[in-house]
């Protein structure tokens, strides 16, 4: 009998990192464990989260209606419970067809977008932060872009004012995870990419201990598990690291490859944006010293806050969401979450929901009233301007008429 992912998030593993951090490698090793199910990517929690936030147009129309429904009719409590129930159905459905697995790995790098939402849905989930030298992450992005025949100038794009989700990954995403994992938490674990590829067996043993499962031999030799149903499913999505299948086990080739992939301008600019303190606190002071020696620049401790805040505003404006500044992982409040088979007693909360609906309706009407007032005021100002222009023309018009009359009369007398 497989174990369920319960309403608190037990048996759910969230592998969190910015893209190009090595999450595909960590996941392919984890999914070799008989007790773990994993695919390359899931990402679906962002779609649930966006139901309340997004106003994107849809081919069938009704974007405004849908937004108003989730923000004017459905209470936050009902929405969170529904998202939790849907997510658990997905996760547990995957477990049922996994052949005995008891835990699910959801590896979705851009979950930095909804960290507050994750804590509300599954506070007892295990959260692994996969860290990597930021310069190696930038180099991996550049390498992947070249592989896709897309030549991207990262020095220009890091400063380009146009919104680019990859530039948000490299800035907003990294700092979101940096703050989220800032304090020790019983359900969090730091996994370093460099240590994982250098001592894979030792790192996988420690990771299994954190997850509460017994280590199994040769998890790191993922090439030995090729052409198995689990492996075929893992690679079937065709996403993740395009270079993963070129090897059969972890290798150290990419640890220092950033020096061959990045140029001095890219290196200097990215280090200036992130600031030296982040490198030091994440344990990459040696790599920062190499970058300083190579570029001949001594980097300031603090990041470029103006750029980070600008990129954050771009993403929040585009998504319609709002974040708590420097948000950190919360201590689980499992008492606030319904039991596995409990549903929200909507009938008992009817008056509260009705009041919330009325309040949101009034707020919307006030908002529309304000917009209408602005429109009428603008129209009134335009009419006044026209009247004033006519007034300024009329005296001249009267004089012109008199001159014309005098001229005609004068000609008539001749």
């Amino acid at each position: 009998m497989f174990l369920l992912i319960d309403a608190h998030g037990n048996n759910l593993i969230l592998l969190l990192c910015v893209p190009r951090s090595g999450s595909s490698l960590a996941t392919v090793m984890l999914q070799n464990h008989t007790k773990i199910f994993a695919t390359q990517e899931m990402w679906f929690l962002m779609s649930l989260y966006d139901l309340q936030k997004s106003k994107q147009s849809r081919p069938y129309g009704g974007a405004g209606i849908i937004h108003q429904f989730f923000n004017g009719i459905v209470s936050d409590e009902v929405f969170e419970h529904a998202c939790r129930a849907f997510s658990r159905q997905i996760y547990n459905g995957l477990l049922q067809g996994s052949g005995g697995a008891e835990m699910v790995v959801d590896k979705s790098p851009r979950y930095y977008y909804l960290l507050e939402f994750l804590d509300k849905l599954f506070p007892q989930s295990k959260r692994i932060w996969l860290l990597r030298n930021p310069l190696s992450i930038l180099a991996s992005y550049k390498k992947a872009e070249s592989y896709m025949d897309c030549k991207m100038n990262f020095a220009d794009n890091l400063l380009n004012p146009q919104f680019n989700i990859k530039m948000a990954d490299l800035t907003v995403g990294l700092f979101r995870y940096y703050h989220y994992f800032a304090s020790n938490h019983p359900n969090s674990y730091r996994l370093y990419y460099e240590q994982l590829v250098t001592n894979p067996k030792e790192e996988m043993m420690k990771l299994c201990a954190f997850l509460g499962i017994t280590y199994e031999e040769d998890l790191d030799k993922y090439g030995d598990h090729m052409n198995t149903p689990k492996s075929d499913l893992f690679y079937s999505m065709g996403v993740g690291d395009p270079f993963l299948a070129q090897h059969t086990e972890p290798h150290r080739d990419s640890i220092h490859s950033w020096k061959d992939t990045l140029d001095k301008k890219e290196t200097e600019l990215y280090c200036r944006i992130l600031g030296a303190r982040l490198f030091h606190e994440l344990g990459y002071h040696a790599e920062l010293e190499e970058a300083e020696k190579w570029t001949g620049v001594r980097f300031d401790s603090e990041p470029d806050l103006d750029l980070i805040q600008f990129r954050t505003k771009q993403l929040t404006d585009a998504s319609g969401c709002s974040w708590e500044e420097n948000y950190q992982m919360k201590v689980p409040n499992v008492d606030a979450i319904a039991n596995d088979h409990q549903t929200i007693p909507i009938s008992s909360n009817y008056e509260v929901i009705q009041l919330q609906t009325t309040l949101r309706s009034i707020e919307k009407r006030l908002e529309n009233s304000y917009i209408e007032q602005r429109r009428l005021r603008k129209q009134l100002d335009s009419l006044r301007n026209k009247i004033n222009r006519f007034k300024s023309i009329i005296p001249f018009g009267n004089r012109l008429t008199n001159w014309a009359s005098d001229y005609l009369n004068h000609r008539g007398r001749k």
Side-chain angles (χ1 to χ4, degrees), residues 218-352:
D218 296 331
L219 293 179
D220 56 309
K221 294 179 172 56
Y222 56 88
D224 295 346
H225 299 267
M226 292 287 191
N227 302 318
T228 64
K230 260 184 118 175
S231 181
D232 289 343
L233 180 63
F234 178 84
Y235 287 104
S236 65
M237 291 187 67
V239 295
D241 187 356
F243 310 107
L244 181 65
Q246 296 178 3
H247 303 273
T248 59
E249 57 185 282
H251 61 89
R252 302 175 58 185
D253 297 349
S254 60
I255 293 181
H256 303 291
S257 64
W258 64 270
K259 291 177 285 188
D260 300 319
T261 305
L262 303 179
D263 59 39
K264 288 186 178 182
K265 184 179 180 182
E266 292 167 333
T267 303
E268 178 183 344
L269 180 58
Y270 195 41
C271 288
R272 286 188 187 278
I273 291 172
L274 298 184
R277 182 160 58 90
L278 181 135
F279 282 88
H280 287 292
E281 293 189 2
L282 297 186
Y284 293 106
H285 53 276
E287 288 78 0
L288 179 68
E289 289 178 3
E290 283 188 80
E292 289 182 332
K293 187 178 299 184
W294 184 39
T295 60
V297 178
R298 181 77 173 179
F299 299 110
D300 292 338
S301 176
E302 297 306 310
D304 185 341
L305 289 178
D306 289 339
L307 181 63
I308 302 298
Q309 290 170 358
F310 173 71
R311 293 295 186 198
T312 300
K313 187 176 186 303
Q314 277 188 318
L315 184 53
T316 55
D317 286 349
S319 61
C321 66
S322 60
W323 297 332
E324 181 180 324
E325 188 175 1
N326 301 337
Y327 180 76
Q328 294 187 19
M329 191 187 306
K330 301 298 184 185
V331 176
N333 181 15
V334 296
D335 294 334
I337 298 180
N339 294 327
D340 285 1
H341 305 291
Q342 181 182 347
T343 58
I344 297 292
I346 297 179
S347 58
S348 64
N349 289 337
Y350 178 75
E351 289 187 8
V352 174

Side-chain angles (χ1 to χ4, degrees), residues 22-214:
S23 56
S24 294
L25 175 64
T27 306
V28 75
M29 290 193 283
L30 280 170
Q31 70 97 27
N32 287 335
H33 199 290
T34 58
K35 300 296 183 184
I36 293 178
F37 174 88
T39 65
Q40 283 201 23
E41 309 277 345
M42 289 194 186
W43 292 54
F44 75 94
L45 288 180
M46 287 186 286
S47 297
L48 293 179
Y49 178 71
D50 280 346
L51 287 173
Q52 272 192 323
K53 310 299 179 185
S54 177
K55 290 187 178 180
Q56 294 177 342
S57 61
R58 294 166 169 83
Y60 48 82
I65 297 172
I66 295 170
H67 180 80
Q68 185 63 15
F69 173 76
F70 281 112
N71 289 273
I73 302 298
V74 179
S75 69
D76 291 340
E77 183 183 18
V78 171
F79 180 76
E80 288 172 14
H81 182 81
C83 290
R84 185 180 301 111
F86 178 84
S87 304
R88 291 183 58 228
Q89 191 69 33
I90 294 292
Y91 292 137
N92 288 323
L94 295 173
L95 282 179
Q96 286 179 325
S98 66
E102 299 175 356
M103 309 179 83
V104 171
V105 174
D106 186 344
K107 185 268 281 191
S108 303
R110 287 190 177 130
Y111 274 1
Y112 67 81
Y113 179 70
L114 42 69
L115 295 174
E116 294 88 342
F117 190 58
L118 294 180
D119 284 355
K120 289 179 181 178
L121 290 191
F122 300 114
Q124 287 286 47
S125 60
K126 300 289 187 181
R127 276 149 285 183
I128 302 169
W129 185 20
L130 178 60
L131 294 103
R132 188 178 187 181
N133 172 18
L135 292 172
S136 294
I137 294 174
L138 179 61
S140 183
Y141 257 118
K142 188 174 181 179
K143 182 181 177 183
E145 293 295 324
S146 299
Y147 176 80
M148 300 296 293
D149 292 328
C150 178
K151 295 182 180 180
M152 181 180 290
N153 187 317
F154 279 87
D156 291 343
N157 276 273
L158 283 167
L159 297 178
N160 193 317
Q162 295 297 318
F163 176 70
N164 185 322
I165 188 60
K166 294 175 182 178
M167 299 306 105
D169 294 337
L170 292 164
T171 52
V172 181
L174 183 56
F175 276 97
R176 282 278 284 171
Y177 284 134
Y178 169 70
H179 293 298
Y180 184 67
F181 288 100
S183 58
N184 293 326
H185 192 285
N187 291 340
S188 69
Y189 184 87
R190 291 191 177 194
L191 176 65
Y192 285 85
Y193 172 84
E194 292 80 8
Q195 296 175 12
L196 181 64
V197 298
T198 303
N199 300 299
K201 180 176 181 178
E202 180 182 341
E203 293 303 313
M204 291 304 293
M205 290 179 69
K206 292 190 290 186
L207 186 53
C208 286
F210 166 71
L211 297 175
I213 55 178
T214 303

